[in-house]
């Protein structure tokens, strides 16, 4: 059969001539090999790893977006009673009244109607936005009436400043200028309100509640109401109280936290900085993540063995630039190894040039902490982004990341800063969630997949429960075509492999290539430079 191209608008029918890919002597000389064992390393792939914080409605429907998140900095002070939030340091600490389409209820309703699970952040900082005008002048945390000298003021609202003078943070803000106190009882009321509107989690309502957002950054992002550094005790005390309020309002809902911003918050409180210090020493010498898990378990044990934390969540942003120059592109593709590889040494300030952290093995480390301190807790990453989603390099990185999420057994992930539907990054999601324009998906049971050089040809394998087909994702991270044999063990013999490719040859379509011959359990293919290829082996 010829090459069939499928683009962003759905199933297409443009046919062009094509030919089978055979090994060339030059390509074969690379010595690269790929292998799968369908009987080994089998475990379910959670569909929730393909989530987004938000998405174009048509794209969300196209990929069957499994989970969406209501979160980010603004959610820390969102008041469900008046639909008002504060922008914090992101934009002059201003109170903004959400429009009808941007309220929490609208978010839940929209995603519920499309069959998308919701993660809703509840405020835990201690303050939420007060009743405020819906147009300028806004209520703000550092008004010129209190702080006439500041480095910058909002060009559309001259009374609202950035809370800095000569580059240093101003102090003395009055929280009640923008906010009212809110404790765990407010969060319980918020959950009860959503239950009254949409039902319990078990009956189609909000499934997961998140314990605020990046709390160690409160003293920066929301310093007008929370200027003090977060300690172990504050995070632990507010976390257990809020989780208890959520579970009381909806016993069927899951709780997710602590949603730290990055490396420093994974291991240290705001009081300690970027490494365990006096605060950690006062809490058994455990780092912040370890203690957080232990504290949640201890609280549950003291309350009849009830579980108060269902997902251990952290955010992950590789500390790389968003550039697409050759150096940035190469680093982007290498840096995905920080999610799993015990041999990968961080190339940013997290590594030897900075805090000199050991290899992160991020997902594996999270799972190890869970196993030791709160067994049975799921693992989530509710914010991540490798950047360059408007470039093929970003698509390669995202395809690699999604493969890693599945192989490593992550339970939930939602990208922050989602790609636009026509951008290459969106095609990375399509390769897993709608590769043929007819809703076909990568498998849901991970199987053993090995490359002789994962840095050149990354491979991920999964079997589809619905029809038992074997799906194989191969990411060519290099600038040249690579040919490699793929040997398949433990799979009922099939004669052909279907082939779907996304590459720089056509950044607007996933190309359906000619079927490949499977000869005695081996299929050899040429993978174009900088490409994502999906092989589908039907079960016979």
């Amino acid at each position: 059969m010829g090459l069939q191209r499928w683009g962003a608008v759905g199933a297409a029918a443009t046919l062009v001539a094509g030919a089978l890919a055979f090994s060339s002597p030059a390509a074969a000389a690379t010595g690269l090999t790929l292998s799968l064992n369908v009987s080994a390393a089998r475990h379910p792939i959670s569909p929730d790893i393909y989530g987004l914080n938000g998405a174009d409605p048509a794209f969300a429907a196209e990929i069957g977006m499994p989970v969406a998140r209501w979160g980010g900095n603004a959610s820390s002070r969102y008041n469900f009673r008046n639909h008002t939030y504060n922008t914090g340091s992101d934009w002059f600490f201003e109170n903004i009244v959400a429009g009808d389409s941007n309220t929490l209820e609208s978010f839940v309703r929209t995603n519920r109607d499309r069959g998308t699970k919701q993660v809703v952040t509840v405020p835990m900082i201690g303050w939420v936005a007060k009743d405020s005008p819906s147009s300028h002048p806004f209520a703000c945390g550092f008004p010129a009436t209190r702080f006439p000298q500041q480095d910058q003021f909002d060009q559309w609202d001259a009374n609202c400043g950035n809370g800095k003078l000569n580059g240093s943070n101003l102090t003395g803000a009055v929280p009640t200028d923008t906010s009212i106190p809110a404790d765990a009882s407010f969060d319980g009321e918020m959950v009860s309100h959503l239950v009254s509107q949409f039902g319990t989690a078990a009956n189609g309502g909000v499934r997961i509640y998140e314990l605020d957002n990046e709390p160690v950054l409160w003293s920066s992002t929301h310093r007008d109401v929370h200027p003090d550094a977060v300690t172990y005790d504050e995070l632990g005390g507010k976390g257990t109280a809020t989780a208890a309020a959520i579970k009381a309002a909806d016993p069927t809902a899951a709780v997710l936290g602590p949603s730290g911003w990055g490396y420093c918050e994974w291991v240290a409180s705001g009081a300690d900085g970027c490494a365990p210090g006096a605060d950690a020493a006062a809490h058994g010498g455990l780092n912040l993540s370890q203690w957080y898990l232990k504290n949640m378990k201890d609280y549950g044990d003291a309350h009849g063995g009830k579980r108060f934390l269902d997902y251990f969540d952290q955010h992950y942003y590789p500390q790389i630039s968003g550039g697409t120059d050759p150096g940035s592109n190469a680093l982007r593709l290498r840096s995905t190894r920080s999610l799993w590889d015990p041999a990968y040494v961080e190339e940013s300030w997290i590594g030897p040039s900075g805090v000199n952290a050991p290899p992160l093995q991020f997902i594996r480390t999270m799972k190890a902490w869970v196993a030791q301190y709160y067994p049975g807790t799921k693992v989530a990453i509710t914010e991540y982004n490798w950047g360059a989603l408007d470039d093929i390099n970003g698509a390669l990185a995202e395809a690699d990341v999604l493969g890693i999420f599945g192989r490593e057994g992550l339970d939930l992930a939602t990208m922050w800063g989602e790609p636009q539907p026509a951008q290459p990054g969106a095609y990375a999601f399509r390769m897993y969630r709608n590769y043929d324009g007819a809703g076909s998906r990568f498998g849901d049971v991970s199987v053993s997949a090995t490359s002789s050089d994962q840095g050149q040809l990354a491979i991920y394998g999964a079997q589809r429960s619905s029809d038992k087909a074997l799906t194989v994702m191969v990411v060519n991270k290099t600038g040249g075509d690579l040919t490699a044999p793929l040997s398949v063990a433990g799979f009922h013999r099939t004669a052909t492999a279907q082939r779907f490719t996304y590459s720089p040859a056509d950044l607007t379509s996933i190309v359906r290539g000619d079927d490949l011959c499977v000869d005695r359990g081996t299929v050899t293919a040429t993978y174009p430079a900088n490409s994502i290829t999906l092989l589908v082996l039907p079960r016979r």
Side-chain angles (χ1 to χ4, degrees):
M1 61 193 280
L3 298 176
Q4 182 178 17
R5 299 178 182 272
W6 169 71
V9 296
T14 303
L15 299 178
V16 300
L20 284 172
F22 294 102
S23 302
S24 69
T30 62
L32 290 169
T33 59
L34 305 173
S35 62
L36 281 97
N37 187 333
V38 180
S39 301
R42 293 179 66 89
H43 64 80
I45 295 176
S46 169
D48 293 341
I49 63 173
Y50 305 110
L52 298 159
N53 273 262
D56 172 86
F59 179 64
E62 180 188 340
I63 65 170
M65 186 171 71
V67 60
R69 171 176 175 260
W70 168 276
N73 292 336
S75 65
S76 289
R77 286 155 73 180
Y78 182 84
N79 187 341
F80 76 94
R81 296 170 183 160
N82 58 19
H83 308 301
T84 304
Y85 60 93
N86 186 277
T87 58
S89 62
D90 289 342
W91 190 260
F92 299 100
F93 302 88
E94 295 174 353
N95 277 10
I96 305 295
V97 180
D100 290 344
S101 63
N102 294 314
T103 65
L104 174 56
E105 292 84 354
S106 176
F107 168 84
V108 175
R109 185 177 299 107
T110 297
N111 285 285
R112 182 198 61 176
D113 291 350
R114 67 163 65 113
T116 297
K117 181 186 303 183
Q118 309 103 50
V119 178
V120 168
T121 302
V122 297
M124 205 171 67
I125 191 172
W127 299 90
V128 294
K130 68 179 185 181
D131 291 343
S132 302
S134 58
S135 59
H136 297 294
F138 293 142
C140 49
F142 291 95
T145 50
R146 290 191 188 277
F147 304 94
Q149 300 299 316
Q150 299 186 53
D151 289 345
Q152 189 178 3
F153 291 92
D154 182 354
Q155 61 179 313
W156 293 288
D157 202 320
N159 190 48
C160 296
N162 69 348
K164 288 180 176 290
L165 183 60
N166 299 322
S168 298
N169 290 340
L170 293 169
T171 60
V174 178
T176 53
D177 280 350
T178 60
S179 305
I180 58 173
D183 59 14
S185 64
F186 175 92
D187 299 318
E189 182 185 342
M190 177 176 171
V191 175
S192 294
H193 166 70
L194 291 175
V195 168
S196 71
Q197 294 283 309
F198 304 105
T200 64
N203 291 289
V206 175
R207 298 279 296 278
I208 303 170
Y209 291 94
E210 182 173 351
L211 299 175
D212 213 292
N213 177 73
E214 301 179 349
V216 167
L217 292 185
W218 288 342
S219 59
S220 172
T221 307
H222 296 285
R223 62 182 182 271
D224 57 322
V225 297
H226 195 295
D228 297 329
V230 169
T231 64
Y232 278 58
D233 287 342
E234 181 183 11
L235 183 62
K238 286 184 173 180
T240 52
T242 304
I246 293 168
K247 295 284 189 176
D250 185 355
T252 67
V255 171
L256 176 150
S259 308
W261 67 268
Y263 176 76
C264 295
E265 189 167 351
W266 305 336
V267 300
S269 67
D272 277 348
C274 202
D279 202 8
H283 293 82
L286 299 178
N287 72 34
L288 185 61
S289 290
Q290 294 166 337
W291 182 84
Y292 184 87
L293 288 163
K294 181 180 182 299
N295 183 63
M296 281 290 189
K297 183 179 186 301
D298 290 348
Y299 186 82
D301 290 346
H303 290 78
K306 185 176 181 179
R307 175 171 286 277
F308 287 93
L309 184 73
D310 300 277
Y311 290 83
F312 174 51
D313 172 54
Q314 299 287 8
H315 297 168
Y316 192 96
Y317 290 99
Q319 301 301 294
I320 60 178
S321 76
T324 54
D325 57 279
S328 296
N329 283 348
L331 177 57
R332 180 174 295 106
L333 297 180
R334 289 195 304 272
S335 67
T336 61
R337 294 169 56 195
S338 63
L339 291 169
W340 64 274
D341 191 346
Y344 182 67
V345 178
E346 289 298 312
E347 301 175 67
S348 69
W349 61 269
I350 297 173
S353 65
V355 299
N356 200 26
L360 296 181
Q361 307 175 69
F362 186 57
I363 297 173
R364 296 182 181 185
T365 298
M366 292 177 73
K367 292 169 79 74
W369 287 341
V370 161
Q372 184 170 358
Y373 297 104
Y374 201 173
T377 307
K378 296 179 180 180
V379 177
I381 300 175
T382 57
E383 286 189 24
Y384 74 94
N385 195 317
W386 256 258
L389 296 171
D390 58 349
D391 187 87
I392 185 62
N393 184 261
L396 300 179
E398 181 59 23
D400 198 27
V401 166
L402 292 174
I404 291 167
F405 285 172
R407 185 193 66 195
E408 297 296 316
L410 191 69
D411 294 294
L412 184 149
T414 49
M415 173 188 275
W416 182 269
E418 70 282 352
Q420 295 303 303
Q423 289 182 330
Y427 284 90
F429 281 90
R430 289 187 178 102
M431 289 294 288
Y432 285 90
R433 299 288 295 177
N434 190 16
Y435 59 82
D436 61 355
S440 297
R441 296 175 179 174
F442 188 67
D444 56 337
V445 178
S446 182
V447 302
S448 175
T450 304
S451 170
S452 60
D453 190 339
Q454 189 79 355
Q456 293 192 67
L457 280 182
I459 183 173
Y460 304 96
Q463 190 166 22
R464 207 157 48 207
S465 297
S466 60
D467 61 359
K468 306 303 180 184
L470 180 61
T471 58
V472 186
M473 197 73 70
V474 180
V475 183
N476 183 350
K477 297 183 175 185
T478 77
D481 295 355
L482 295 175
T483 297
L486 166 66
S487 62
V488 180
F491 189 68
H492 192 278
R493 182 171 296 177
T494 184
T496 60
Q498 300 167 6
R499 179 176 44 156
F500 300 83
T501 302
Y502 183 68
S503 76
D506 184 352
L507 292 178
T508 67
S509 302
I510 294 171
V511 176
R512 171 72 156 95
D514 292 312
D515 287 354
L516 300 172
C517 178
V518 181
D519 182 16
R520 289 170 291 185
T522 298
V523 56
T524 298
T526 294
Y527 302 97
N530 297 308
S531 69
I532 309 164
T533 298
L534 177 67
L535 302 179
V536 181
L537 283 68
R539 180 73 175 267
R540 294 188 65 184

